[in-house]
Amino acid sequence: MNNSFKEQWEKSYENKDNFVFYPNEEVIRFTSKYIRKRIGWDEFVDVHNYTDNPKVLDLGCGIGRHIIYGLEMKLDMYGIDLSEIAINFARKWAKKNGMVNVNEKIVQGDICILPWKDHFFNYVVSHGVLDSMRFENAKIAVQEIARVLVKDGLFYCDLISGDHSSKSKGYCGEEIVATEHEKGTVQSYFNLSKIEKLFSDFFEIVECKHIKYENCLAPVPSYHSRYHIVLKRKD
């Protein structure tokens, strides 16, 4: 399972490679469009149709930036990450922001073996996670995500694209990261065909955006791209 890279991720968090404190813009967009929209300092409009406050899982939560964002949106937040260093930080941060039962809601573990019962969550969000593991493990994780989601539950994630200045067009291979940032971890690149193989058994695609980030001032073209995907759990 994904635990085979635990040492590398602990090293990455020990180096504070992934100590990011602001929420990703696409996670904010997903929340505002499908769950809850903020319309004032402490005013919100629910977009969802659930009777109870939605339960939201941040899959691969890192130090907890999207958990904190969810708490600010008054959502019932949960998180899981492979790194103990990240989870310990996330728990402290969430506790400072008023979360109770942090040890039960924010857990260290393998996303291929989620410790929650079937149909527990209304939504799952995951930023930069399923492309940071072997494809076969990502397939198992997707099955687990489907298991813990309610019927028609929504899942947002993003995946790195092979449309990259250092790759050939359509590249969808896997590499071990050699740079200092996240060194020794896996980087799995995606194209549309690989995305379909990852999700088609358990989810239907509701949205799929491909966003390119280009350094326009670089003497040689330098860019990378990501897919931003909203999926609905199949019956």
Side-chain angles (χ1 to χ4, degrees):
M1 296 296 183
N2 199 39
N3 271 308
S4 60
F5 288 93
K6 185 175 186 298
E7 181 180 345
Q8 287 80 7
W9 281 111
E10 292 292 12
K11 183 67 174 177
S12 180
Y13 279 104
E14 185 179 301
N15 293 337
K16 298 190 175 181
D17 290 345
N18 296 297
F19 270 51
V20 182
F21 290 86
Y22 51 89
N24 177 267
E25 182 178 353
E26 293 300 321
V27 172
I28 296 173
R29 289 182 191 277
F30 172 77
T31 304
S32 298
K33 183 174 181 178
Y34 293 104
I35 312 177
R36 181 169 291 159
K37 182 178 179 180
R38 191 171 202 160
I39 60 171
W41 289 113
D42 202 29
E43 294 180 87
F44 305 89
V45 172
D46 282 342
V47 185
H48 68 83
N49 295 315
Y50 298 109
T51 303
D52 298 327
N53 193 29
K55 289 182 171 64
V56 183
L57 173 62
D58 184 2
L59 187 91
C61 64
I63 65 169
R65 58 175 171 152
H66 294 127
I67 293 174
I68 301 304
Y69 169 66
L71 292 177
E72 292 173 353
M73 297 294 289
K74 313 297 184 186
L75 296 168
D76 189 6
M77 296 301 300
Y78 293 74
I80 185 170
D81 199 275
L82 191 60
S83 167
E84 293 179 28
I85 293 172
I87 286 298
N88 288 336
F89 191 99
R91 285 172 173 169
K92 292 176 183 177
W93 193 6
K95 190 173 182 180
K96 285 184 177 181
N97 282 265
M99 178 185 275
V100 296
N101 302 324
V102 292
N103 289 350
E104 290 75 31
K105 288 194 165 189
I106 304 176
V107 300
Q108 186 278 325
D110 187 340
I111 66 171
C112 294
I113 316 171
L114 296 177
W116 292 284
K117 65 183 181 180
D118 295 358
H119 317 307
F120 187 77
F121 295 104
N122 304 99
Y123 301 92
V124 175
V125 298
S126 186
H127 172 64
V129 176
L130 294 178
D131 55 2
S132 294
M133 61 178 64
R134 297 291 188 193
F135 182 77
E136 59 266 25
N137 287 343
K139 287 274 288 183
I140 297 169
V142 167
Q143 182 174 355
E144 276 290 273
I145 295 163
R147 180 185 66 78
V148 300
L149 269 173
V150 299
K151 179 184 177 182
D152 294 331
L154 295 181
F155 169 40
Y156 163 81
C157 71
D158 64 336
L159 302 166
I160 192 166
S161 167
D163 185 12
H164 193 289
S165 55
S166 68
K167 310 297 176 190
S168 58
K169 189 173 182 180
Y171 179 74
C172 61
E174 293 183 357
E175 302 173 359
I176 299 297
V177 176
T179 57
E180 286 304 312
H181 180 72
E182 299 183 356
K183 188 174 184 177
T185 64
V186 174
Q187 185 71 86
S188 181
Y189 291 86
F190 282 80
N191 57 19
L192 288 174
S193 176
K194 190 173 177 180
I195 289 172
E196 182 70 17
K197 289 177 183 176
L198 180 60
F199 295 118
S200 61
D201 289 343
F202 301 99
F203 288 93
E204 61 179 271
I205 297 175
V206 176
E207 294 183 23
C208 184
K209 296 188 294 184
H210 186 259
I211 300 177
K212 188 173 183 177
Y213 308 86
E214 184 173 0
N215 181 357
C216 298
L217 300 180
V220 177
S222 175
Y223 60 89
H224 67 280
S225 310
R226 297 195 71 84
Y227 292 100
H228 297 271
I229 310 164
V230 177
L231 305 115
K232 183 170 72 171
R233 179 184 176 271
K234 291 181 177 178
D235 294 345

